[in-house]
Amino acid sequence: SPHAVRFGVVIKPKDGRNGAGITFLDGASTQAEWRKAFSQALENDDGRDTAVLAEEFVPGKDTRFLVVGHRVVAIAQRIPANVVGDGQLTVRELVAIKNMQRQRLGYMHHPLVLNDVASRELAKHGLQFESVSPVGQTAYLGRACNLSAGADVMDITDSVHAGYCELAVRASRAVSAPLVGLDFQVLDPTLPPTPTNYAILEGNALPGYSFHHGPTLGTGRNAVGAILDLYGF
């Protein structure tokens, strides 16, 4: 029931990919938005399932741990699609500029999109597509952190607390996956993990690795080299 939601819930396909069909809902969401969320999840289910996943929303920073040979080789924080205001250009103009910049990075071929999701997210902060965002203000266009949804990527391999790396390795061993991309939600990855400041959302058996080589911010990591070493090439 929408009235039972306090902190939020995420509706997603049971068998999906690239963040398609995922919707964030909270107590303010309408009945129509709930129905649409379920419909979108079903439409984007690769297995054509008749059920969807409803998961409790966990606050924190979307953090991908790439584990190769039960060793963490790269860690990236993924930031939802956004533009940063300059006090002169509209949100629409900033999006057009950023999309041109993303085209120069082969793995970031998915453009930022101005759609209903972006409109609702901007409206939460009193913005529209034709608004001029103040200097330095980040205007988010959604909540999804997938590259396919226009997310940015920041390498944080050198700044993450070692405790999270230990958890990632333990998780990879628990599922017998020497190669896996583990998605964490972490309140502050520089602080040690506690029972209340992180959650492991999922593991990806076929994780993307291109963004580790050329992140939007930070140092690139040789993910492919580690994978080739794992399989003896």
Side-chain angles (χ1 to χ4, degrees):
S1 165
H3 303 292
V5 178
R6 291 185 60 198
F7 301 110
V9 63
V10 178
I11 305 298
K12 59 198 294 188
K14 288 182 65 178
D15 185 9
R17 54 181 172 175
N18 296 330
I22 295 178
T23 306
F24 172 82
L25 299 165
D26 57 23
S29 300
T30 66
Q31 291 284 354
E33 288 172 332
W34 280 79
R35 294 191 191 95
K36 184 176 181 180
F38 276 76
S39 295
Q40 289 180 335
L42 291 172
E43 290 169 3
N44 287 278
D45 192 297
D46 290 346
R48 299 301 177 209
D49 211 302
T50 57
V52 303
L53 294 177
E55 298 178 343
E56 178 186 2
F57 173 74
V58 180
K61 298 175 180 178
D62 183 289
T63 309
R64 164 62 65 88
F65 289 73
L66 180 64
V67 180
V68 182
H70 302 301
R71 179 174 64 90
V72 175
V73 300
I75 309 171
Q77 181 180 323
R78 297 177 297 188
I79 306 164
N82 70 88
V83 291
V84 179
D86 65 356
Q88 298 181 5
L89 300 177
T90 66
V91 170
R92 187 184 300 278
E93 291 169 332
L94 291 171
V95 165
I97 291 172
K98 190 165 185 178
N99 279 340
M100 287 190 291
Q101 296 170 342
R102 288 172 68 87
Q103 285 180 346
R104 301 190 191 106
L105 297 171
Y107 71 93
M108 282 192 168
H109 59 279
H110 296 284
L112 278 66
V113 178
L114 294 178
N115 54 17
D116 290 344
V117 173
S119 179
R120 288 196 298 270
E121 197 65 28
L122 288 169
K124 294 176 184 177
H125 305 282
L127 297 174
Q128 299 177 347
F129 297 154
E130 308 307 328
S131 300
V132 174
S133 186
V135 176
Q137 177 180 322
T138 301
Y140 290 99
L141 306 177
R143 287 176 172 266
C145 292
N146 303 77
L147 290 182
S148 57
D152 290 330
V153 178
M154 178 169 62
D155 179 82
I156 57 171
T157 305
D158 294 332
S159 60
V160 172
H161 191 278
Y164 290 107
C165 296
E166 295 171 5
L167 287 170
V169 170
R170 285 171 54 193
S172 73
R173 293 188 183 281
V175 296
S176 302
L179 171 59
V180 63
L182 293 164
D183 291 336
F184 282 57
Q185 284 287 99
V186 184
L187 288 179
D188 186 342
T190 66
L191 299 179
T194 71
T196 59
N197 67 3
Y198 81 95
I200 301 178
L201 302 184
E202 64 182 20
N204 298 270
L206 296 173
Y209 50 78
S210 55
F211 57 83
H212 291 298
H213 286 261
T216 314
L217 299 168
T219 304
R221 307 289 169 171
N222 187 13
V224 170
I227 295 171
L228 291 176
D229 289 344
L230 173 66
Y231 293 108
F233 290 100

